[in-house]
Amino acid sequence: MKKLKITGACLILLGIIVISTAIGMRIWSSYKEKAMINDFQKTIEIEDKKPNKDKVIDTKPPSEQDGAIGILTIPKIDLKVAIGEGVDNSVLKYAVGHFKGTAMPGDKGNFCVAGHRSYTYSEYFNRLGEIKNGDIIYVQTQNGTYNYKVYNINVVTPDHVEVLKATQDATMTLITCTPIRIATHRLIINAKLQK
């Protein structure tokens, strides 16, 4: 009986640790993501206050920049999230990630962004399935804010990497796993830059 009580107490303690860890990860993720957005917006505010001749656009390659390269906003699903450079887990924990080697926001080509749909953290693209053709997506950068209009929604298997291919026009591709939390396929949202 005593052994049973000890086992029960250990299981309860383990459950508390697991739940506390999940809550802690969520809080830390939210803090980091908000800090990335705030730092990026402060950088833009500082540059906006300078006279035109003193403005400096960061010309370092995105992989050498710290923090966010932009902010992605989708009003339809109440999303505002930092865009980090790269799609490894160190970026996707706290932001959505820009695929290195694809176009930058506002440029001709395919600006590709990936994001997680997760219980614990990185739920930024959880509601991406609510997006419809005609919805507008905004990308704020140091060079300005770009408006993209959704024109195609598709579900593919993970081996369909052609979704990352360059395009002739300025387009954006959002990529996330689907079905949510099962992740056997990829939800692809294509949008085109509006002039």
Side-chain angles (χ1 to χ4, degrees):
M1 190 68 159
K2 188 175 181 182
K3 198 173 186 180
L4 194 60
K5 285 183 179 179
I6 291 172
T7 302
C10 287
L11 288 174
I12 289 170
L13 182 60
L14 182 63
I16 290 170
I17 291 169
V18 168
I19 291 169
S20 298
T21 301
I23 291 170
M25 287 171 65
R26 184 176 286 236
I27 290 168
W28 178 249
S29 175
S30 177
Y31 166 78
K32 282 281 286 184
E33 191 264 331
K34 286 177 183 166
M36 285 178 77
I37 289 175
N38 289 338
D39 289 347
F40 184 80
Q41 288 179 324
K42 283 178 190 169
T43 300
I44 290 175
E45 287 170 13
I46 290 167
E47 286 298 317
D48 284 348
K49 289 178 183 173
K50 291 180 181 178
N52 277 340
K53 65 183 177 67
D54 294 335
K55 288 187 180 182
V56 177
I57 299 298
D58 196 343
T59 57
K60 291 187 292 183
S63 59
E64 295 176 21
Q65 293 176 355
D66 295 326
I69 63 166
I71 297 172
L72 177 78
T73 304
I74 308 177
K76 168 100 179 253
I77 58 174
D78 196 30
L79 176 68
K80 183 176 184 178
V81 63
I83 305 167
E85 182 60 34
V87 292
D88 59 20
N89 206 35
S90 64
V91 173
L92 296 182
K93 272 186 180 180
Y94 311 113
V96 295
H98 168 246
F99 279 89
K100 293 178 184 178
T102 67
M104 294 303 288
D107 291 347
K108 280 192 175 183
N110 191 6
F111 167 56
C112 299
V113 177
H116 281 317
R117 298 167 119 181
S118 171
Y119 264 132
T120 311
Y121 56 82
S122 304
E123 334 181 282
Y124 310 117
F125 280 176
N126 272 8
R127 295 181 58 198
L128 206 59
E130 297 174 33
I131 297 295
K132 304 286 184 218
N133 286 339
D135 289 340
I136 302 296
I137 300 168
Y138 301 95
V139 179
Q140 182 183 16
T141 72
Q142 289 186 14
N143 297 328
T145 299
Y146 303 99
N147 305 344
Y148 290 85
K149 187 175 184 179
V150 175
Y151 70 88
N152 184 52
I153 301 162
N154 200 9
V155 174
V156 300
T157 55
D159 59 336
H160 279 76
V161 294
E162 67 271 10
V163 299
L164 302 175
K165 279 187 179 175
T167 56
Q168 294 295 319
D169 298 319
T171 61
M172 174 170 49
T173 300
L174 303 181
I175 303 165
T176 194
C177 296
T178 198
I180 197 164
R181 298 188 230 330
I182 297 172
T184 56
H185 290 71
R186 301 294 178 263
L187 174 63
I188 309 297
I189 307 285
N190 299 112
K192 190 171 183 178
L193 183 66
Q194 301 300 288
K195 302 289 181 193

